[in-house]
Amino acid sequence: MRRLYQTNKRGPFLLCLLSAMLLLLFIGKAAQPQGGGEEVDLELVLAVDVSASVDDFEANLQRSGYIEALVAPEVVAEIKKGHLGRIAVIYIEYAGASYQRVVVDWQVIDSPESARAFVGALAGKPIGRAPATSISAAIDFAVQEIERNNLRAPRAVIDISGDGPNSDGRPVQAARDEAILHGVVINGLPILSSRPSPEGFGPSIGVTRHYRRSVIGGPGSFLLEVNEFENFAPALKQKLIREIKDVGRLTS
């Protein structure tokens, strides 16, 4: 009886110890710079929805919004205020579980010239199109892109924009939780659109709630709602500045 009593008493202690070890592992993992090469303040994945619910007009507004925001003087100024004064950015498009595409691969932005070079490459690429919406596959793909690059940063962020919930692939919560365990933060830019989609879908309803509950995650994560695609560029600019400021605070 004494041996059995001792074993049961030790059980809760070991469980608490294991929980503490896992917490320390997560904190250490999140704090470690991502990658192993050039150092930057932030690794930023721009994941952009090109699913069937986004028509050509909306897709072009979305693309031009990224082009406008990335070269905005106030965005470049925030980049320069960082500890190193440079970030790395990759632009991907996503739709269903089988469609994730790198449009512009990792490039370092540290000046107005390098920002213009990035958007110049982006402007020269066609906009993709594919059915369904798999935010989970976009997150998984983005994490792979962060892990494969030759960069080091104190923080990695996946910036997801879109006008609909996860409708294809595995549950988005599972992808989000795995990304967080890799030390990645996920921010959201849900778009509320009153325009009917080319596939006959009605106005986007509940997308902000879906992003808040199931998509964003990690230390300091946030979302910024966009009311109509026409307002995408100023909202994106505000979001980028906030993300870059977060990096400046963490690295100062």
Side-chain angles (χ1 to χ4, degrees):
M1 288 296 293
R2 181 176 177 83
R3 180 177 301 171
L4 181 60
Y5 172 77
Q6 289 176 334
T7 301
N8 288 341
K9 187 176 181 180
R10 206 162 41 232
F13 169 75
L14 291 175
L15 182 60
C16 291
L17 180 62
L18 178 59
S19 299
M21 291 174 64
L22 288 173
L23 179 61
L24 288 172
L25 177 63
F26 168 74
I27 293 173
K29 202 171 180 58
Q32 286 297 316
Q34 305 293 319
E38 182 177 359
E39 290 188 78
V40 294
D41 290 318
L42 169 68
E43 295 171 65
L44 180 62
V45 179
L46 302 176
V48 183
D49 183 4
V50 294
S51 63
S53 62
V54 180
D55 64 24
D56 290 340
F57 174 76
E58 294 169 338
N60 280 293
L61 281 175
Q62 197 171 207
R63 172 69 67 84
S64 63
Y66 280 100
I67 290 172
E68 179 182 333
L70 286 167
V71 295
E74 54 266 50
V75 172
V76 177
E78 285 300 332
I79 292 172
K80 296 300 294 180
K81 290 177 185 177
H83 181 66
L84 298 171
R86 57 181 179 268
I87 68 172
V89 183
I90 184 174
Y91 187 104
I92 69 173
E93 293 177 338
Y94 74 93
S98 61
Y99 188 91
Q100 301 87 42
R101 169 179 171 242
V102 174
V103 181
V104 180
D105 211 341
W106 291 104
Q107 291 188 26
V108 172
I109 297 179
D110 59 2
S111 64
E113 293 75 21
S114 55
R116 287 195 294 269
F118 187 95
V119 301
L122 179 59
K125 299 292 180 66
I127 299 174
R129 181 73 74 246
T133 303
S134 183
I135 301 173
S136 57
I139 292 173
D140 291 338
F141 185 78
V143 171
Q144 292 174 8
E145 292 302 308
I146 290 168
E147 292 184 336
R148 77 163 176 84
N149 68 32
N150 191 34
L151 298 161
R152 299 182 69 237
R155 192 169 182 232
V157 172
I158 302 171
D159 192 336
I160 296 191
S161 65
D163 71 341
N166 195 73
S167 64
D168 194 24
R170 68 172 178 149
V172 67
Q173 297 93 333
R176 175 199 61 193
D177 293 347
E178 286 187 18
I180 293 171
L181 287 176
H182 281 80
V184 177
V185 173
I186 304 171
N187 294 329
L189 200 65
I191 307 166
L192 305 183
S193 176
S194 60
R195 291 168 55 85
S197 77
E199 300 299 316
F201 300 113
S204 53
I205 299 174
V207 63
T208 299
R209 178 183 299 178
H210 179 69
Y211 268 63
R212 181 176 290 113
R213 291 182 174 180
S214 305
V215 177
I216 68 171
S221 62
F222 68 96
L223 63 78
L224 187 62
E225 182 182 87
V226 182
N227 188 17
E228 303 295 347
F229 279 88
E230 289 84 348
N231 300 315
F232 186 82
L236 176 62
K237 190 185 304 182
Q238 180 183 347
K239 187 168 187 289
L240 289 174
I241 290 172
R242 179 171 171 179
E243 285 169 336
I244 296 164
K245 280 184 177 178
D246 284 346
V247 172
R249 183 166 63 249
L250 286 171
T251 57
S252 61

